[in-house]
Amino acid sequence: MEENKQLEDMARKLKNERSKAWARKNKDKIKEINKRYWLKKAKEKLAEEKKKEEE
């Protein structure tokens, strides 16, 4: 059980390191991803508010 937890911890650390390295090399992609994410959230919120107004 303890060995399995250590394995999972090591896997998470490796994944995080790789993700951070990718993010440092692709800052422009990160900005675009964040922009799309927040635009999507804004559209969802507007649709939700419009739906409430119609009720």
Side-chain angles (χ1 to χ4, degrees):
M1 185 78 168
E2 182 66 28
E3 186 176 313
N4 193 24
K5 182 171 176 14
Q6 288 177 338
L7 186 61
E8 288 177 5
D9 288 344
M10 180 60 75
R12 184 174 15 83
K13 286 179 185 178
L14 291 171
K15 180 184 174 201
N16 288 345
E17 288 174 13
R18 184 175 177 144
S19 294
K20 286 179 183 181
W22 181 87
R24 281 192 295 271
K25 293 178 184 174
N26 296 287
K27 290 182 181 185
D28 55 332
K29 289 181 182 180
I30 297 293
K31 286 180 183 179
E32 185 60 33
I33 290 168
N34 284 338
K35 180 181 174 184
R36 285 194 316 258
Y37 173 84
W38 288 110
L39 286 173
K40 180 181 175 189
K41 288 294 183 184
K43 283 181 185 179
E44 290 172 356
K45 185 148 179 87
L46 286 174
E48 183 180 304
E49 290 175 0
K50 188 175 182 181
K51 184 178 179 183
K52 284 183 181 179
E53 288 177 1
E54 291 175 354
E55 292 179 349

Short mmCIF file of all heavy atoms in Angstrom, two decimals:
data_model
loop_
_atom_site.label_atom_id
_atom_site.label_comp_id
_atom_site.label_asym_id
_atom_site.label_seq_id
_atom_site.Cartn_x
_atom_site.Cartn_y
_atom_site.Cartn_z
N MET A 1 0.83 -1.20 0.00
CA MET A 1 0.00 0.00 0.00
C MET A 1 0.87 1.26 0.00
O MET A 1 0.63 2.17 -0.76
CB MET A 1 -0.91 -0.04 1.23
CG MET A 1 -1.90 1.07 1.30
SD MET A 1 -3.26 0.75 0.20
CE MET A 1 -4.40 1.95 0.70
N GLU A 2 1.87 1.30 0.88
CA GLU A 2 2.77 2.44 0.96
C GLU A 2 3.56 2.62 -0.34
O GLU A 2 3.77 3.73 -0.81
CB GLU A 2 3.73 2.28 2.14
CG GLU A 2 4.68 3.43 2.34
CD GLU A 2 3.99 4.72 2.74
OE1 GLU A 2 2.91 4.67 3.37
OE2 GLU A 2 4.53 5.79 2.42
N GLU A 3 3.97 1.49 -0.92
CA GLU A 3 4.73 1.54 -2.17
C GLU A 3 3.86 2.11 -3.30
O GLU A 3 4.33 2.89 -4.12
CB GLU A 3 5.21 0.14 -2.54
CG GLU A 3 6.12 0.13 -3.75
CD GLU A 3 6.66 -1.26 -4.03
OE1 GLU A 3 7.13 -1.91 -3.09
OE2 GLU A 3 6.60 -1.65 -5.21
N ASN A 4 2.59 1.75 -3.30
CA ASN A 4 1.66 2.25 -4.31
C ASN A 4 1.49 3.76 -4.18
O ASN A 4 1.46 4.48 -5.18
CB ASN A 4 0.31 1.54 -4.17
CG ASN A 4 -0.58 1.76 -5.37
OD1 ASN A 4 -0.11 2.05 -6.46
ND2 ASN A 4 -1.86 1.63 -5.15
N LYS A 5 1.41 4.26 -2.95
CA LYS A 5 1.28 5.70 -2.72
C LYS A 5 2.53 6.43 -3.19
O LYS A 5 2.43 7.49 -3.82
CB LYS A 5 1.03 5.98 -1.24
CG LYS A 5 0.82 7.45 -0.93
CD LYS A 5 0.37 7.67 0.47
CE LYS A 5 0.23 9.08 0.91
NZ LYS A 5 0.23 10.12 -0.05
N GLN A 6 3.69 5.87 -2.92
CA GLN A 6 4.93 6.48 -3.37
C GLN A 6 4.99 6.52 -4.90
O GLN A 6 5.43 7.50 -5.49
CB GLN A 6 6.14 5.70 -2.83
CG GLN A 6 6.37 5.89 -1.36
CD GLN A 6 7.53 5.06 -0.85
OE1 GLN A 6 7.91 4.06 -1.47
NE2 GLN A 6 8.09 5.46 0.28
N LEU A 7 4.52 5.45 -5.52
CA LEU A 7 4.50 5.39 -6.98
C LEU A 7 3.58 6.46 -7.56
O LEU A 7 3.93 7.16 -8.50
CB LEU A 7 4.05 4.00 -7.44
CG LEU A 7 4.10 3.71 -8.91
CD1 LEU A 7 5.52 3.82 -9.44
CD2 LEU A 7 3.54 2.33 -9.19
N GLU A 8 2.41 6.62 -6.94
CA GLU A 8 1.47 7.64 -7.39
C GLU A 8 2.05 9.05 -7.19
O GLU A 8 1.87 9.92 -8.05
CB GLU A 8 0.15 7.50 -6.65
CG GLU A 8 -0.64 6.28 -7.07
CD GLU A 8 -1.93 6.11 -6.27
OE1 GLU A 8 -2.27 7.00 -5.45
OE2 GLU A 8 -2.59 5.09 -6.48
N ASP A 9 2.69 9.26 -6.07
CA ASP A 9 3.32 10.57 -5.81
C ASP A 9 4.39 10.89 -6.85
O ASP A 9 4.47 12.01 -7.35
CB ASP A 9 3.93 10.61 -4.41
CG ASP A 9 2.88 10.67 -3.31
OD1 ASP A 9 1.71 10.99 -3.60
OD2 ASP A 9 3.24 10.40 -2.15
N MET A 10 5.22 9.90 -7.15
CA MET A 10 6.28 10.10 -8.14
C MET A 10 5.68 10.38 -9.52
O MET A 10 6.14 11.27 -10.23
CB MET A 10 7.19 8.87 -8.21
CG MET A 10 8.30 9.00 -9.22
SD MET A 10 9.43 10.38 -8.91
CE MET A 10 10.34 9.73 -7.55
N ALA A 11 4.62 9.66 -9.87
CA ALA A 11 3.96 9.87 -11.17
C ALA A 11 3.39 11.29 -11.25
O ALA A 11 3.52 11.96 -12.27
CB ALA A 11 2.87 8.84 -11.37
N ARG A 12 2.77 11.75 -10.15
CA ARG A 12 2.20 13.10 -10.13
C ARG A 12 3.29 14.15 -10.27
O ARG A 12 3.15 15.13 -11.02
CB ARG A 12 1.42 13.32 -8.83
CG ARG A 12 0.73 14.66 -8.77
CD ARG A 12 -0.19 14.87 -7.56
NE ARG A 12 -0.08 13.97 -6.45
CZ ARG A 12 0.81 14.06 -5.46
NH1 ARG A 12 1.72 15.01 -5.48
NH2 ARG A 12 0.80 13.22 -4.46
N LYS A 13 4.41 13.96 -9.58
CA LYS A 13 5.52 14.91 -9.67
C LYS A 13 6.08 14.98 -11.09
O LYS A 13 6.34 16.07 -11.61
CB LYS A 13 6.63 14.53 -8.69
CG LYS A 13 6.29 14.82 -7.26
CD LYS A 13 7.41 14.39 -6.33
CE LYS A 13 7.01 14.58 -4.87
NZ LYS A 13 8.07 14.13 -3.96
N LEU A 14 6.24 13.82 -11.72
CA LEU A 14 6.76 13.80 -13.09
C LEU A 14 5.80 14.49 -14.05
O LEU A 14 6.22 15.25 -14.93
CB LEU A 14 7.02 12.36 -13.54
CG LEU A 14 8.18 11.65 -12.84
CD1 LEU A 14 8.19 10.18 -13.21
CD2 LEU A 14 9.50 12.30 -13.19
N LYS A 15 4.52 14.24 -13.87
CA LYS A 15 3.51 14.87 -14.72
C LYS A 15 3.53 16.38 -14.54
O LYS A 15 3.49 17.14 -15.52
CB LYS A 15 2.13 14.32 -14.37
CG LYS A 15 1.02 14.91 -15.20
CD LYS A 15 -0.33 14.39 -14.75
CE LYS A 15 -1.41 15.13 -15.50
NZ LYS A 15 -2.69 15.07 -14.84
N ASN A 16 3.62 16.83 -13.28
CA ASN A 16 3.65 18.28 -13.01
C ASN A 16 4.89 18.93 -13.62
O ASN A 16 4.79 20.02 -14.20
CB ASN A 16 3.60 18.53 -11.51
CG ASN A 16 2.24 18.26 -10.93
OD1 ASN A 16 1.26 18.13 -11.64
ND2 ASN A 16 2.18 18.14 -9.62
N GLU A 17 6.03 18.28 -13.49
CA GLU A 17 7.26 18.83 -14.07
C GLU A 17 7.15 18.96 -15.58
O GLU A 17 7.53 19.97 -16.16
CB GLU A 17 8.46 17.94 -13.71
CG GLU A 17 8.88 18.02 -12.27
CD GLU A 17 9.97 17.02 -11.92
OE1 GLU A 17 10.57 16.43 -12.84
OE2 GLU A 17 10.21 16.83 -10.72
N ARG A 18 6.62 17.93 -16.19
CA ARG A 18 6.47 17.96 -17.66
C ARG A 18 5.48 19.04 -18.08
O ARG A 18 5.72 19.77 -19.06
CB ARG A 18 6.01 16.59 -18.16
CG ARG A 18 5.94 16.51 -19.65
CD ARG A 18 5.62 15.13 -20.11
NE ARG A 18 5.48 15.11 -21.56
CZ ARG A 18 5.87 14.13 -22.31
NH1 ARG A 18 6.42 13.07 -21.79
NH2 ARG A 18 5.70 14.19 -23.62
N SER A 19 4.38 19.16 -17.35
CA SER A 19 3.39 20.19 -17.67
C SER A 19 3.96 21.59 -17.52
O SER A 19 3.71 22.46 -18.35
CB SER A 19 2.17 20.04 -16.76
OG SER A 19 1.51 18.83 -17.02
N LYS A 20 4.73 21.80 -16.45
CA LYS A 20 5.33 23.12 -16.24
C LYS A 20 6.34 23.45 -17.33
O LYS A 20 6.40 24.58 -17.81
CB LYS A 20 5.99 23.18 -14.87
CG LYS A 20 4.99 23.27 -13.74
CD LYS A 20 5.69 23.30 -12.39
CE LYS A 20 4.69 23.32 -11.26
NZ LYS A 20 5.35 23.37 -9.95
N ALA A 21 7.12 22.45 -17.74
CA ALA A 21 8.11 22.68 -18.80
C ALA A 21 7.39 23.03 -20.10
O ALA A 21 7.80 23.95 -20.82
CB ALA A 21 8.97 21.43 -18.99
N TRP A 22 6.30 22.33 -20.40
CA TRP A 22 5.54 22.61 -21.61
C TRP A 22 4.95 24.03 -21.55
O TRP A 22 5.01 24.78 -22.53
CB TRP A 22 4.41 21.59 -21.79
CG TRP A 22 3.61 21.84 -23.03
CD1 TRP A 22 3.89 21.37 -24.28
CD2 TRP A 22 2.42 22.63 -23.15
NE1 TRP A 22 2.94 21.82 -25.16
CE2 TRP A 22 2.03 22.60 -24.49
CE3 TRP A 22 1.65 23.35 -22.24
CZ2 TRP A 22 0.91 23.26 -24.95
CZ3 TRP A 22 0.53 24.01 -22.70
CH2 TRP A 22 0.18 23.97 -24.03
N ALA A 23 4.42 24.40 -20.39
CA ALA A 23 3.81 25.71 -20.24
C ALA A 23 4.84 26.83 -20.40
O ALA A 23 4.55 27.87 -21.00
CB ALA A 23 3.13 25.82 -18.88
N ARG A 24 6.05 26.62 -19.90
CA ARG A 24 7.11 27.63 -20.06
C ARG A 24 7.47 27.82 -21.53
O ARG A 24 7.75 28.93 -21.96
CB ARG A 24 8.35 27.24 -19.27
CG ARG A 24 8.26 27.51 -17.79
CD ARG A 24 9.60 27.38 -17.10
NE ARG A 24 10.11 26.02 -17.14
CZ ARG A 24 9.85 25.07 -16.24
NH1 ARG A 24 9.08 25.36 -15.22
NH2 ARG A 24 10.37 23.87 -16.36
N LYS A 25 7.42 26.77 -22.30
CA LYS A 25 7.78 26.84 -23.72
C LYS A 25 6.63 27.33 -24.59
O LYS A 25 6.85 27.75 -25.72
CB LYS A 25 8.21 25.46 -24.22
CG LYS A 25 9.49 24.96 -23.62
CD LYS A 25 9.83 23.57 -24.14
CE LYS A 25 11.06 23.01 -23.47
NZ LYS A 25 11.32 21.62 -23.86
N ASN A 26 5.41 27.27 -24.09
CA ASN A 26 4.23 27.58 -24.90
C ASN A 26 3.34 28.63 -24.25
O ASN A 26 2.12 28.44 -24.15
CB ASN A 26 3.43 26.29 -25.13
CG ASN A 26 4.21 25.29 -25.94
OD1 ASN A 26 4.39 25.46 -27.14
ND2 ASN A 26 4.70 24.25 -25.28
N LYS A 27 3.92 29.73 -23.85
CA LYS A 27 3.16 30.77 -23.15
C LYS A 27 2.03 31.32 -24.02
O LYS A 27 0.94 31.62 -23.51
CB LYS A 27 4.07 31.88 -22.69
CG LYS A 27 4.98 31.45 -21.57
CD LYS A 27 5.87 32.57 -21.09
CE LYS A 27 6.77 32.04 -19.99
NZ LYS A 27 7.57 33.06 -19.37
N ASP A 28 2.26 31.43 -25.32
CA ASP A 28 1.22 31.95 -26.20
C ASP A 28 0.03 30.99 -26.27
O ASP A 28 -1.12 31.42 -26.31
CB ASP A 28 1.78 32.21 -27.60
CG ASP A 28 2.45 31.00 -28.21
OD1 ASP A 28 2.98 30.15 -27.46
OD2 ASP A 28 2.47 30.90 -29.46
N LYS A 29 0.30 29.69 -26.24
CA LYS A 29 -0.79 28.72 -26.25
C LYS A 29 -1.59 28.78 -24.95
O LYS A 29 -2.82 28.65 -24.97
CB LYS A 29 -0.25 27.30 -26.46
CG LYS A 29 0.27 27.08 -27.86
CD LYS A 29 0.77 25.66 -28.04
CE LYS A 29 1.34 25.47 -29.45
NZ LYS A 29 1.85 24.11 -29.64
N ILE A 30 -0.90 28.97 -23.84
CA ILE A 30 -1.56 29.07 -22.55
C ILE A 30 -2.51 30.27 -22.54
O ILE A 30 -3.66 30.18 -22.09
CB ILE A 30 -0.54 29.19 -21.39
CG1 ILE A 30 0.33 27.95 -21.30
CG2 ILE A 30 -1.24 29.47 -20.07
CD1 ILE A 30 -0.37 26.70 -20.91
N LYS A 31 -2.04 31.40 -23.07
CA LYS A 31 -2.89 32.60 -23.12
C LYS A 31 -4.13 32.34 -23.97
O LYS A 31 -5.24 32.74 -23.60
CB LYS A 31 -2.11 33.78 -23.70
CG LYS A 31 -1.10 34.34 -22.74
CD LYS A 31 -0.34 35.50 -23.35
CE LYS A 31 0.72 36.01 -22.41
NZ LYS A 31 1.48 37.13 -22.98
N GLU A 32 -3.96 31.66 -25.10
CA GLU A 32 -5.11 31.37 -25.97
C GLU A 32 -6.08 30.41 -25.30
O GLU A 32 -7.30 30.59 -25.38
CB GLU A 32 -4.61 30.79 -27.30
CG GLU A 32 -5.70 30.58 -28.31
CD GLU A 32 -6.45 31.84 -28.71
OE1 GLU A 32 -5.82 32.91 -28.75
OE2 GLU A 32 -7.67 31.75 -28.97
N ILE A 33 -5.55 29.40 -24.64
CA ILE A 33 -6.40 28.44 -23.93
C ILE A 33 -7.21 29.14 -22.84
O ILE A 33 -8.42 28.93 -22.71
CB ILE A 33 -5.54 27.29 -23.32
CG1 ILE A 33 -5.00 26.41 -24.44
CG2 ILE A 33 -6.33 26.47 -22.32
CD1 ILE A 33 -3.91 25.44 -23.99
N ASN A 34 -6.54 30.00 -22.05
CA ASN A 34 -7.23 30.74 -21.00
C ASN A 34 -8.29 31.67 -21.58
O ASN A 34 -9.39 31.78 -21.02
CB ASN A 34 -6.24 31.54 -20.16
CG ASN A 34 -5.47 30.66 -19.21
OD1 ASN A 34 -5.90 29.58 -18.86
ND2 ASN A 34 -4.32 31.13 -18.79
N LYS A 35 -7.98 32.32 -22.69
CA LYS A 35 -8.94 33.22 -23.33
C LYS A 35 -10.18 32.45 -23.77
O LYS A 35 -11.31 32.88 -23.48
CB LYS A 35 -8.28 33.88 -24.55
CG LYS A 35 -9.17 34.83 -25.29
CD LYS A 35 -8.45 35.42 -26.49
CE LYS A 35 -9.37 36.26 -27.32
NZ LYS A 35 -8.69 36.76 -28.54
N ARG A 36 -9.99 31.31 -24.42
CA ARG A 36 -11.13 30.49 -24.85
C ARG A 36 -11.95 30.01 -23.66
O ARG A 36 -13.19 30.01 -23.70
CB ARG A 36 -10.67 29.29 -25.68
CG ARG A 36 -10.25 29.62 -27.08
CD ARG A 36 -10.13 28.38 -27.95
NE ARG A 36 -9.47 27.27 -27.29
CZ ARG A 36 -8.20 26.90 -27.49
NH1 ARG A 36 -7.45 27.57 -28.33
NH2 ARG A 36 -7.69 25.87 -26.85
N TYR A 37 -11.26 29.60 -22.60
CA TYR A 37 -11.94 29.12 -21.39
C TYR A 37 -12.87 30.18 -20.82
O TYR A 37 -14.04 29.93 -20.55
CB TYR A 37 -10.90 28.70 -20.34
CG TYR A 37 -11.51 28.33 -19.01
CD1 TYR A 37 -12.01 27.05 -18.78
CD2 TYR A 37 -11.60 29.26 -17.97
CE1 TYR A 37 -12.57 26.71 -17.57
CE2 TYR A 37 -12.15 28.92 -16.76
CZ TYR A 37 -12.64 27.65 -16.56
OH TYR A 37 -13.20 27.32 -15.35
N TRP A 38 -12.35 31.40 -20.65
CA TRP A 38 -13.15 32.45 -20.03
C TRP A 38 -14.24 32.96 -20.96
O TRP A 38 -15.31 33.36 -20.49
CB TRP A 38 -12.25 33.58 -19.52
CG TRP A 38 -11.50 33.11 -18.30
CD1 TRP A 38 -10.17 32.86 -18.21
CD2 TRP A 38 -12.05 32.78 -17.04
NE1 TRP A 38 -9.87 32.40 -16.96
CE2 TRP A 38 -10.99 32.33 -16.21
CE3 TRP A 38 -13.34 32.80 -16.50
CZ2 TRP A 38 -11.19 31.92 -14.90
CZ3 TRP A 38 -13.53 32.40 -15.19
CH2 TRP A 38 -12.47 31.97 -14.41
N LEU A 39 -14.00 32.95 -22.27
CA LEU A 39 -15.07 33.31 -23.21
C LEU A 39 -16.21 32.30 -23.13
O LEU A 39 -17.38 32.67 -23.14
CB LEU A 39 -14.53 33.39 -24.63
CG LEU A 39 -13.67 34.62 -24.95
CD1 LEU A 39 -13.06 34.49 -26.34
CD2 LEU A 39 -14.49 35.89 -24.83
N LYS A 40 -15.86 31.03 -23.03
CA LYS A 40 -16.87 29.98 -22.91
C LYS A 40 -17.67 30.17 -21.63
O LYS A 40 -18.90 30.05 -21.63
CB LYS A 40 -16.20 28.61 -22.93
CG LYS A 40 -17.17 27.47 -22.81
CD LYS A 40 -16.45 26.12 -22.80
CE LYS A 40 -17.42 24.99 -22.55
NZ LYS A 40 -16.75 23.72 -22.33
N LYS A 41 -16.98 30.45 -20.51
CA LYS A 41 -17.67 30.66 -19.24
C LYS A 41 -18.61 31.86 -19.32
O LYS A 41 -19.72 31.84 -18.78
CB LYS A 41 -16.66 30.87 -18.10
CG LYS A 41 -15.93 29.63 -17.71
CD LYS A 41 -16.86 28.62 -17.09
CE LYS A 41 -16.12 27.40 -16.64
NZ LYS A 41 -17.01 26.38 -16.12
N ALA A 42 -18.17 32.93 -19.98
CA ALA A 42 -19.00 34.12 -20.12
C ALA A 42 -20.25 33.81 -20.95
O ALA A 42 -21.35 34.25 -20.60
CB ALA A 42 -18.20 35.25 -20.76
N LYS A 43 -20.09 33.05 -22.03
CA LYS A 43 -21.24 32.68 -22.86
C LYS A 43 -22.23 31.86 -22.06
O LYS A 43 -23.44 32.06 -22.15
CB LYS A 43 -20.78 31.87 -24.08
CG LYS A 43 -20.17 32.70 -25.16
CD LYS A 43 -19.77 31.82 -26.33
CE LYS A 43 -19.04 32.59 -27.40
NZ LYS A 43 -18.65 31.73 -28.53
N GLU A 44 -21.72 30.92 -21.26
CA GLU A 44 -22.59 30.09 -20.44
C GLU A 44 -23.36 30.93 -19.43
O GLU A 44 -24.56 30.73 -19.22
CB GLU A 44 -21.78 29.01 -19.71
CG GLU A 44 -21.22 27.94 -20.62
CD GLU A 44 -20.26 27.00 -19.92
OE1 GLU A 44 -19.95 27.21 -18.72
OE2 GLU A 44 -19.80 26.06 -20.59
N LYS A 45 -22.67 31.88 -18.82
CA LYS A 45 -23.33 32.75 -17.82
C LYS A 45 -24.39 33.62 -18.48
O LYS A 45 -25.49 33.77 -17.93
CB LYS A 45 -22.29 33.61 -17.12
CG LYS A 45 -22.86 34.44 -16.01
CD LYS A 45 -21.85 34.64 -14.92
CE LYS A 45 -22.40 35.50 -13.81
NZ LYS A 45 -23.12 34.72 -12.82
N LEU A 46 -24.09 34.17 -19.66
CA LEU A 46 -25.08 34.99 -20.36
C LEU A 46 -26.30 34.15 -20.75
O LEU A 46 -27.44 34.60 -20.62
CB LEU A 46 -24.46 35.62 -21.61
CG LEU A 46 -23.52 36.79 -21.36
CD1 LEU A 46 -22.86 37.22 -22.66
CD2 LEU A 46 -24.25 37.95 -20.72
N ALA A 47 -26.06 32.93 -21.21
CA ALA A 47 -27.17 32.05 -21.58
C ALA A 47 -28.02 31.72 -20.36
O ALA A 47 -29.26 31.68 -20.43
CB ALA A 47 -26.64 30.78 -22.22
N GLU A 48 -27.36 31.50 -19.23
CA GLU A 48 -28.08 31.20 -17.99
C GLU A 48 -28.93 32.39 -17.56
O GLU A 48 -30.09 32.22 -17.18
CB GLU A 48 -27.06 30.86 -16.91
CG GLU A 48 -27.65 30.45 -15.59
CD GLU A 48 -26.57 30.13 -14.57
OE1 GLU A 48 -25.72 29.28 -14.85
OE2 GLU A 48 -26.59 30.76 -13.49
N GLU A 49 -28.36 33.59 -17.63
CA GLU A 49 -29.11 34.79 -17.25
C GLU A 49 -30.28 35.03 -18.19
O GLU A 49 -31.36 35.41 -17.76
CB GLU A 49 -28.18 36.00 -17.23
CG GLU A 49 -27.18 35.98 -16.09
CD GLU A 49 -26.19 37.11 -16.14
OE1 GLU A 49 -26.26 37.94 -17.07
OE2 GLU A 49 -25.32 37.16 -15.24
N LYS A 50 -30.05 34.80 -19.48
CA LYS A 50 -31.13 34.98 -20.46
C LYS A 50 -32.25 33.99 -20.20
O LYS A 50 -33.43 34.33 -20.29
CB LYS A 50 -30.57 34.79 -21.88
CG LYS A 50 -31.54 35.13 -22.95
CD LYS A 50 -30.87 35.05 -24.33
CE LYS A 50 -31.84 35.43 -25.41
NZ LYS A 50 -31.23 35.34 -26.74
N LYS A 51 -31.90 32.76 -19.85
CA LYS A 51 -32.89 31.74 -19.56
C LYS A 51 -33.72 32.13 -18.34
O LYS A 51 -34.93 31.95 -18.33
CB LYS A 51 -32.20 30.40 -19.32
CG LYS A 51 -33.15 29.26 -19.12
CD LYS A 51 -32.40 27.94 -18.95
CE LYS A 51 -33.37 26.80 -18.71
NZ LYS A 51 -32.67 25.54 -18.46
N LYS A 52 -33.07 32.70 -17.31
CA LYS A 52 -33.79 33.13 -16.11
C LYS A 52 -34.73 34.27 -16.42
O LYS A 52 -35.83 34.35 -15.86
CB LYS A 52 -32.79 33.55 -15.03
CG LYS A 52 -32.12 32.40 -14.35
CD LYS A 52 -31.21 32.88 -13.24
CE LYS A 52 -30.51 31.72 -12.55
NZ LYS A 52 -29.60 32.19 -11.50
N GLU A 53 -34.33 35.19 -17.32
CA GLU A 53 -35.17 36.31 -17.70
C GLU A 53 -36.42 35.83 -18.43
O GLU A 53 -37.48 36.42 -18.28
CB GLU A 53 -34.40 37.30 -18.58
CG GLU A 53 -33.35 38.10 -17.85
CD GLU A 53 -32.58 39.00 -18.77
OE1 GLU A 53 -32.84 39.04 -19.98
OE2 GLU A 53 -31.68 39.70 -18.27
N GLU A 54 -36.27 34.77 -19.21
CA GLU A 54 -37.40 34.27 -19.98
C GLU A 54 -38.43 33.57 -19.11
O GLU A 54 -39.60 33.51 -19.46
CB GLU A 54 -36.90 33.30 -21.07
CG GLU A 54 -36.13 33.99 -22.17
CD GLU A 54 -35.55 33.01 -23.18
OE1 GLU A 54 -35.66 31.79 -22.97
OE2 GLU A 54 -34.99 33.49 -24.18
N GLU A 55 -38.02 33.07 -17.97
CA GLU A 55 -38.96 32.35 -17.08
C GLU A 55 -39.90 33.25 -16.36
O GLU A 55 -40.03 34.30 -16.20
CB GLU A 55 -38.19 31.52 -16.06
CG GLU A 55 -37.44 30.39 -16.69
CD GLU A 55 -36.65 29.59 -15.66
OE1 GLU A 55 -36.50 30.01 -14.50
OE2 GLU A 55 -36.14 28.53 -16.03
#
